[in-house]
Structure formats: structure tokens, C-alpha cells
Amino acid sequence: SIPLTLHHMPLCVSFALLELVADESAGLAAHLAILADPTLLEEKVANGSLVITASGKDQPMLYGIQKYGGAVMSHEMISRVSAMAIERAVEIDEQVIQKALASQMPKRNPLLPAPDVTVVEGARDASKGNRESAGDQKGADAEMPDTA
């Protein structure tokens, strides 16, 4: 088997958007709280959500942004959250994905020699015969070329 080479691995990072109301008695103005990797409960009480697809292993790259709900976000806030998503994608890649790939490398070492393949003439002839009989059933007269 040939190992699959991935140059970029986009990862989705989700954020919950919570519009917090002003509390004049505590001196707090209304603002938007952003929670990274929200739990199910946090998602249920959120006023919106933001999902950013990014990667950043070799070079930071933003693939997409999806915003749901009515929470209002400024351009500066979206830029800041996008940078956080790229950082989080790098963390996930290093801590989870690279560890999983490293654990699989002994099983998938591309430097190991390919196993020896022995062609058994009888099996090859039987295989060729099967192809010819299948071709005859379809009305094809051409014989399969010999690849040996």
C-alpha cells in the first residue's frame, strides 16, 4: 500500500457566542462572550455560534468561517477569533493528530521493502481464462495483453 501524504489538514474549531446583558449595579456593560470548544449546554444557551476551519502547521491558513445566530460581531473580533482558531488548530494537530499518526508509523513505514510477489503460472492462466470467458459473454473477441 502507498501511504497518503497530506500537506494541509484543515480542522474545524467551534465557538459559542453569548450576548451578556448589562448589569448596572455591578458596573458591567453589555458585551459578547466567546467560548472556545463549547459544551452541549453552552451551545444550547448561546445566542449564536461560529465555526472556523483552519490549519496552521506549516503556514497559517483560514479555509472558512460559518456564523449562526443573531449575535453581532465586529470585523476586529472575527479577526481575533480567527487567529485563536488557527492557534487551536495547531494545538490539535500537534497534540492529537501527530500522536495518532506517530503511533501508526511502525505499521506504515514507507522505507520497508515491498513484499516479494510470486506469480504462479497456473493461477495466471486461470485468471486470463476468466477474463476471456467474461469477454466472450459480452461479445468481445480481443484477448487481454500479456503483461509478463
Side-chain angles (χ1 to χ4, degrees):
S1 70
I2 298 172
L4 177 63
T5 302
L6 296 175
H7 296 285
H8 301 282
M9 187 172 300
L11 299 169
C12 293
V13 181
S14 61
F15 299 89
L17 309 174
L18 295 163
E19 292 178 325
L20 302 176
V21 295
D23 186 358
E24 295 167 8
S25 63
L28 298 173
H31 63 281
L32 183 66
I34 301 172
L35 304 173
D37 295 327
T39 64
L40 181 60
L41 180 61
E42 291 167 341
E43 285 181 351
K44 286 183 177 185
V45 299
N47 302 94
S49 65
L50 185 68
V51 178
I52 298 177
T53 307
S55 70
K57 183 178 178 183
D58 296 324
Q59 64 184 41
M61 190 171 294
L62 190 64
Y63 292 94
I65 298 175
Q66 199 70 49
K67 183 181 172 299
Y68 304 98
V72 178
M73 295 182 74
S74 66
H75 292 287
E76 294 81 19
M77 190 175 293
I78 292 174
S79 294
R80 199 169 75 220
V81 173
S82 297
M84 290 172 23
I86 290 172
E87 289 176 20
R88 182 69 178 138
V90 170
E91 287 175 21
I92 293 170
D93 183 59
E94 290 173 351
Q95 295 174 1
V96 179
I97 295 172
Q98 293 306 318
K99 280 184 181 179
L101 289 174
S103 72
Q104 295 295 315
M105 284 311 290
K107 299 175 189 172
R108 303 176 64 191
N109 190 345
L111 300 176
L112 293 176
D116 291 332
V117 178
T118 305
V119 176
V120 179
E121 289 301 319
R124 183 173 173 193
D125 292 339
S127 160
K128 186 175 176 184
N130 289 341
R131 285 189 209 138
E132 288 175 357
S133 64
D136 289 340
Q137 291 172 357
K138 294 179 184 175
D141 295 328
E143 186 173 321
M144 298 298 290
D146 192 5
T147 58

